[in-house]
Amino acid sequence: WQHTFEGVPMYTPDGQEIEYSIDELESIELNKYSKTITSNENKTEFTIKNTLNVQSSGITKTGTEKLRATNGKVNYKINYIA
């Protein structure tokens, strides 16, 4: 989506330039994302980019039995419990 802010003042009543910034509210759903905020040089255009954080998973086999390779392959059974 895209939004344009219109009618916002550039200066305070005493002539000081107003510097605007933008942010995104935190939420449980957004915790799954990494947020990056960029702007152009004049800070007149901002982009908020959310990138999904993909969790890596791995399997560690532990136990007392020895694994043996047959024809370059190791065969064993894994029971996954979530």
Short mmCIF file of all heavy atoms in Angstrom, two decimals, residues 5-44:
data_model
loop_
_atom_site.label_atom_id
_atom_site.label_comp_id
_atom_site.label_asym_id
_atom_site.label_seq_id
_atom_site.Cartn_x
_atom_site.Cartn_y
_atom_site.Cartn_z
N PHE A 5 1.07 12.01 2.67
CA PHE A 5 0.65 12.98 3.68
C PHE A 5 0.59 14.34 3.00
O PHE A 5 1.57 14.80 2.43
CB PHE A 5 1.64 13.02 4.84
CG PHE A 5 1.71 11.72 5.61
CD1 PHE A 5 2.63 10.75 5.28
CD2 PHE A 5 0.83 11.49 6.65
CE1 PHE A 5 2.69 9.56 5.99
CE2 PHE A 5 0.88 10.31 7.37
CZ PHE A 5 1.81 9.34 7.03
N GLU A 6 -0.56 14.98 3.06
CA GLU A 6 -0.73 16.28 2.41
C GLU A 6 -1.13 17.33 3.43
O GLU A 6 -1.74 17.03 4.45
CB GLU A 6 -1.80 16.17 1.32
CG GLU A 6 -1.38 15.23 0.20
CD GLU A 6 -2.42 15.16 -0.91
OE1 GLU A 6 -2.90 16.23 -1.32
OE2 GLU A 6 -2.73 14.05 -1.34
N GLY A 7 -0.76 18.56 3.15
CA GLY A 7 -1.18 19.67 3.99
C GLY A 7 -0.43 19.78 5.30
O GLY A 7 -0.90 20.44 6.22
N VAL A 8 0.73 19.15 5.40
CA VAL A 8 1.52 19.27 6.63
C VAL A 8 2.47 20.45 6.48
O VAL A 8 3.03 20.68 5.41
CB VAL A 8 2.30 17.97 6.94
CG1 VAL A 8 1.34 16.85 7.30
CG2 VAL A 8 3.17 17.56 5.79
N PRO A 9 2.65 21.24 7.53
CA PRO A 9 3.50 22.43 7.40
C PRO A 9 4.97 22.07 7.29
O PRO A 9 5.42 21.05 7.82
CB PRO A 9 3.23 23.19 8.71
CG PRO A 9 2.75 22.16 9.66
CD PRO A 9 2.05 21.12 8.84
N MET A 10 5.74 22.88 6.59
CA MET A 10 7.18 22.69 6.46
C MET A 10 7.93 23.43 7.56
O MET A 10 9.06 23.09 7.88
CB MET A 10 7.66 23.16 5.09
CG MET A 10 7.16 22.29 3.95
SD MET A 10 7.82 22.79 2.35
CE MET A 10 9.56 22.54 2.58
N TYR A 11 7.29 24.47 8.14
CA TYR A 11 7.96 25.31 9.13
C TYR A 11 7.05 25.55 10.33
O TYR A 11 5.83 25.59 10.20
CB TYR A 11 8.36 26.66 8.51
CG TYR A 11 9.28 26.51 7.33
CD1 TYR A 11 8.80 26.51 6.04
CD2 TYR A 11 10.65 26.35 7.53
CE1 TYR A 11 9.65 26.35 4.95
CE2 TYR A 11 11.51 26.19 6.46
CZ TYR A 11 11.00 26.19 5.17
OH TYR A 11 11.85 26.03 4.11
N THR A 12 7.66 25.76 11.48
CA THR A 12 6.92 26.15 12.67
C THR A 12 6.53 27.62 12.52
O THR A 12 7.05 28.32 11.65
CB THR A 12 7.79 25.98 13.94
OG1 THR A 12 8.90 26.87 13.86
CG2 THR A 12 8.28 24.56 14.12
N PRO A 13 5.61 28.12 13.37
CA PRO A 13 5.22 29.54 13.28
C PRO A 13 6.40 30.50 13.41
O PRO A 13 6.36 31.61 12.87
CB PRO A 13 4.23 29.71 14.43
CG PRO A 13 3.64 28.35 14.62
CD PRO A 13 4.78 27.39 14.33
N ASP A 14 7.48 30.09 14.09
CA ASP A 14 8.63 31.00 14.24
C ASP A 14 9.69 30.75 13.17
O ASP A 14 10.81 31.26 13.27
CB ASP A 14 9.22 30.91 15.64
CG ASP A 14 9.77 29.53 15.98
OD1 ASP A 14 9.56 28.57 15.20
OD2 ASP A 14 10.42 29.41 17.03
N GLY A 15 9.36 29.98 12.13
CA GLY A 15 10.25 29.83 10.98
C GLY A 15 11.24 28.66 11.04
O GLY A 15 12.05 28.50 10.14
N GLN A 16 11.17 27.84 12.08
CA GLN A 16 12.07 26.68 12.16
C GLN A 16 11.54 25.56 11.26
O GLN A 16 10.34 25.27 11.25
CB GLN A 16 12.14 26.16 13.60
CG GLN A 16 12.70 27.14 14.60
CD GLN A 16 14.19 27.34 14.39
OE1 GLN A 16 14.91 26.42 14.07
NE2 GLN A 16 14.64 28.58 14.55
N GLU A 17 12.44 24.93 10.50
CA GLU A 17 12.03 23.83 9.63
C GLU A 17 11.65 22.63 10.48
O GLU A 17 12.31 22.29 11.46
CB GLU A 17 13.16 23.44 8.67
CG GLU A 17 12.73 22.40 7.66
CD GLU A 17 13.80 22.11 6.62
OE1 GLU A 17 14.90 22.69 6.69
OE2 GLU A 17 13.51 21.31 5.73
N ILE A 18 10.56 21.98 10.11
CA ILE A 18 10.09 20.79 10.82
C ILE A 18 10.68 19.56 10.14
O ILE A 18 10.59 19.41 8.92
CB ILE A 18 8.55 20.70 10.80
CG1 ILE A 18 7.95 21.92 11.50
CG2 ILE A 18 8.07 19.41 11.45
CD1 ILE A 18 6.44 22.02 11.36
N GLU A 19 11.32 18.71 10.92
CA GLU A 19 11.86 17.46 10.38
C GLU A 19 10.90 16.34 10.72
O GLU A 19 10.63 16.06 11.89
CB GLU A 19 13.24 17.17 10.97
CG GLU A 19 13.87 15.94 10.35
CD GLU A 19 15.29 15.71 10.83
OE1 GLU A 19 16.04 16.69 10.99
OE2 GLU A 19 15.63 14.53 11.03
N TYR A 20 10.36 15.70 9.70
CA TYR A 20 9.40 14.62 9.88
C TYR A 20 10.11 13.27 9.80
O TYR A 20 11.12 13.12 9.12
CB TYR A 20 8.31 14.68 8.80
CG TYR A 20 7.35 15.84 8.99
CD1 TYR A 20 7.54 17.04 8.31
CD2 TYR A 20 6.28 15.73 9.86
CE1 TYR A 20 6.67 18.10 8.49
CE2 TYR A 20 5.40 16.79 10.03
CZ TYR A 20 5.60 17.96 9.34
OH TYR A 20 4.74 19.01 9.53
N SER A 21 9.56 12.32 10.50
CA SER A 21 10.02 10.94 10.40
C SER A 21 8.80 10.03 10.43
O SER A 21 7.69 10.49 10.70
CB SER A 21 10.97 10.59 11.56
OG SER A 21 10.30 10.66 12.79
N ILE A 22 9.01 8.78 10.15
CA ILE A 22 7.90 7.83 10.10
C ILE A 22 8.36 6.54 10.77
O ILE A 22 9.53 6.21 10.78
CB ILE A 22 7.45 7.59 8.64
CG1 ILE A 22 6.13 6.84 8.60
CG2 ILE A 22 8.51 6.87 7.84
CD1 ILE A 22 5.45 6.90 7.26
N ASP A 23 7.42 5.85 11.39
CA ASP A 23 7.71 4.57 12.02
C ASP A 23 6.47 3.70 11.92
O ASP A 23 5.41 4.17 11.50
CB ASP A 23 8.14 4.77 13.48
CG ASP A 23 8.95 3.59 14.02
OD1 ASP A 23 9.07 2.56 13.31
OD2 ASP A 23 9.46 3.70 15.14
N GLU A 24 6.59 2.49 12.34
CA GLU A 24 5.50 1.54 12.27
C GLU A 24 5.25 1.02 13.67
O GLU A 24 6.20 0.72 14.40
CB GLU A 24 5.91 0.40 11.32
CG GLU A 24 4.82 -0.54 10.96
CD GLU A 24 5.28 -1.47 9.86
OE1 GLU A 24 6.35 -2.08 9.99
OE2 GLU A 24 4.55 -1.59 8.87
N LEU A 25 4.00 0.92 14.07
CA LEU A 25 3.67 0.43 15.40
C LEU A 25 4.08 -1.03 15.55
O LEU A 25 4.01 -1.80 14.59
CB LEU A 25 2.17 0.57 15.67
CG LEU A 25 1.63 1.99 15.73
CD1 LEU A 25 0.12 1.97 15.90
CD2 LEU A 25 2.28 2.77 16.85
N GLU A 26 4.48 -1.39 16.76
CA GLU A 26 4.84 -2.77 17.04
C GLU A 26 3.56 -3.60 17.21
O GLU A 26 2.56 -3.12 17.73
CB GLU A 26 5.66 -2.86 18.32
CG GLU A 26 6.99 -2.14 18.25
CD GLU A 26 7.99 -2.81 17.32
OE1 GLU A 26 7.98 -4.05 17.22
OE2 GLU A 26 8.77 -2.09 16.70
N SER A 27 3.60 -4.83 16.78
CA SER A 27 2.49 -5.75 17.01
C SER A 27 3.05 -7.17 17.06
O SER A 27 4.16 -7.43 16.60
CB SER A 27 1.43 -5.64 15.92
OG SER A 27 1.85 -6.29 14.75
N ILE A 28 2.27 -8.06 17.60
CA ILE A 28 2.71 -9.46 17.68
C ILE A 28 2.96 -10.02 16.28
O ILE A 28 3.95 -10.70 16.05
CB ILE A 28 1.66 -10.30 18.45
CG1 ILE A 28 1.63 -9.85 19.91
CG2 ILE A 28 1.97 -11.78 18.35
CD1 ILE A 28 0.51 -10.45 20.72
N GLU A 29 2.08 -9.73 15.35
CA GLU A 29 2.24 -10.24 13.99
C GLU A 29 3.49 -9.69 13.32
O GLU A 29 4.17 -10.38 12.59
CB GLU A 29 1.01 -9.93 13.14
CG GLU A 29 -0.18 -10.80 13.46
CD GLU A 29 0.10 -12.28 13.24
OE1 GLU A 29 0.60 -12.66 12.18
OE2 GLU A 29 -0.20 -13.06 14.17
N LEU A 30 3.82 -8.42 13.58
CA LEU A 30 4.99 -7.82 12.94
C LEU A 30 6.30 -8.29 13.55
O LEU A 30 7.36 -8.07 12.98
CB LEU A 30 4.90 -6.29 12.99
CG LEU A 30 3.85 -5.68 12.07
CD1 LEU A 30 3.80 -4.17 12.27
CD2 LEU A 30 4.12 -6.01 10.63
N ASN A 31 6.25 -8.95 14.71
CA ASN A 31 7.47 -9.50 15.29
C ASN A 31 8.08 -10.59 14.42
O ASN A 31 9.23 -10.96 14.60
CB ASN A 31 7.21 -10.05 16.70
CG ASN A 31 7.01 -8.94 17.71
OD1 ASN A 31 7.45 -7.81 17.49
ND2 ASN A 31 6.34 -9.25 18.80
N LYS A 32 7.32 -11.09 13.48
CA LYS A 32 7.81 -12.11 12.55
C LYS A 32 8.60 -11.47 11.41
O LYS A 32 9.11 -12.16 10.56
CB LYS A 32 6.64 -12.91 11.98
CG LYS A 32 5.85 -13.66 13.02
CD LYS A 32 4.65 -14.32 12.41
CE LYS A 32 3.77 -14.95 13.47
NZ LYS A 32 2.54 -15.50 12.90
N TYR A 33 8.68 -10.14 11.40
CA TYR A 33 9.31 -9.42 10.30
C TYR A 33 10.43 -8.52 10.81
O TYR A 33 10.39 -8.03 11.93
CB TYR A 33 8.28 -8.54 9.57
CG TYR A 33 7.20 -9.33 8.90
CD1 TYR A 33 6.07 -9.75 9.59
CD2 TYR A 33 7.30 -9.68 7.56
CE1 TYR A 33 5.08 -10.49 8.96
CE2 TYR A 33 6.32 -10.41 6.93
CZ TYR A 33 5.21 -10.81 7.63
OH TYR A 33 4.24 -11.54 7.01
N SER A 34 11.41 -8.28 9.95
CA SER A 34 12.43 -7.27 10.20
C SER A 34 12.02 -6.02 9.44
O SER A 34 11.65 -6.09 8.28
CB SER A 34 13.80 -7.73 9.71
OG SER A 34 14.23 -8.85 10.42
N LYS A 35 12.08 -4.87 10.11
CA LYS A 35 11.63 -3.61 9.52
C LYS A 35 12.83 -2.79 9.09
O LYS A 35 13.80 -2.66 9.83
CB LYS A 35 10.80 -2.86 10.55
CG LYS A 35 10.43 -1.45 10.16
CD LYS A 35 9.60 -0.77 11.23
CE LYS A 35 10.35 -0.68 12.53
NZ LYS A 35 9.63 0.04 13.58
N THR A 36 12.77 -2.24 7.88
CA THR A 36 13.79 -1.32 7.39
C THR A 36 13.08 -0.06 6.90
O THR A 36 12.15 -0.15 6.11
CB THR A 36 14.60 -1.94 6.23
OG1 THR A 36 15.12 -3.19 6.65
CG2 THR A 36 15.73 -1.03 5.80
N ILE A 37 13.51 1.10 7.39
CA ILE A 37 12.92 2.37 6.95
C ILE A 37 14.00 3.16 6.24
O ILE A 37 15.08 3.39 6.78
CB ILE A 37 12.36 3.17 8.13
CG1 ILE A 37 11.27 2.37 8.85
CG2 ILE A 37 11.80 4.51 7.65
CD1 ILE A 37 10.73 3.03 10.09
N THR A 38 13.72 3.57 5.00
CA THR A 38 14.66 4.37 4.22
C THR A 38 13.93 5.61 3.71
O THR A 38 12.70 5.66 3.67
CB THR A 38 15.23 3.58 3.03
OG1 THR A 38 14.15 3.12 2.21
CG2 THR A 38 16.05 2.38 3.49
N SER A 39 14.71 6.61 3.32
CA SER A 39 14.12 7.82 2.75
C SER A 39 15.04 8.36 1.66
O SER A 39 16.22 8.00 1.60
CB SER A 39 13.91 8.89 3.83
OG SER A 39 15.14 9.39 4.28
N ASN A 40 14.48 9.23 0.84
CA ASN A 40 15.33 9.90 -0.14
C ASN A 40 16.15 10.97 0.58
O ASN A 40 15.96 11.24 1.76
CB ASN A 40 14.51 10.45 -1.30
CG ASN A 40 13.55 11.55 -0.87
OD1 ASN A 40 13.41 11.87 0.30
ND2 ASN A 40 12.86 12.13 -1.84
N GLU A 41 17.06 11.60 -0.14
CA GLU A 41 17.98 12.58 0.46
C GLU A 41 17.24 13.75 1.12
O GLU A 41 17.63 14.24 2.17
CB GLU A 41 18.95 13.10 -0.60
CG GLU A 41 20.04 13.97 -0.03
CD GLU A 41 21.05 14.37 -1.10
OE1 GLU A 41 21.41 13.53 -1.94
OE2 GLU A 41 21.46 15.54 -1.07
N ASN A 42 16.16 14.17 0.51
CA ASN A 42 15.40 15.31 1.04
C ASN A 42 14.42 14.92 2.14
O ASN A 42 13.73 15.78 2.68
CB ASN A 42 14.63 16.00 -0.09
CG ASN A 42 15.55 16.54 -1.15
OD1 ASN A 42 16.68 16.92 -0.85
ND2 ASN A 42 15.08 16.58 -2.38
N LYS A 43 14.33 13.65 2.43
CA LYS A 43 13.38 13.12 3.40
C LYS A 43 11.95 13.53 3.06
O LYS A 43 11.17 13.89 3.93
CB LYS A 43 13.75 13.52 4.82
CG LYS A 43 15.04 12.88 5.29
CD LYS A 43 15.26 13.09 6.76
CE LYS A 43 16.53 12.35 7.17
NZ LYS A 43 16.74 12.41 8.61
N THR A 44 11.65 13.47 1.77
CA THR A 44 10.28 13.74 1.34
C THR A 44 9.56 12.46 0.93
O THR A 44 8.35 12.47 0.74
CB THR A 44 10.27 14.72 0.15
OG1 THR A 44 11.05 14.17 -0.91
CG2 THR A 44 10.81 16.07 0.55
#
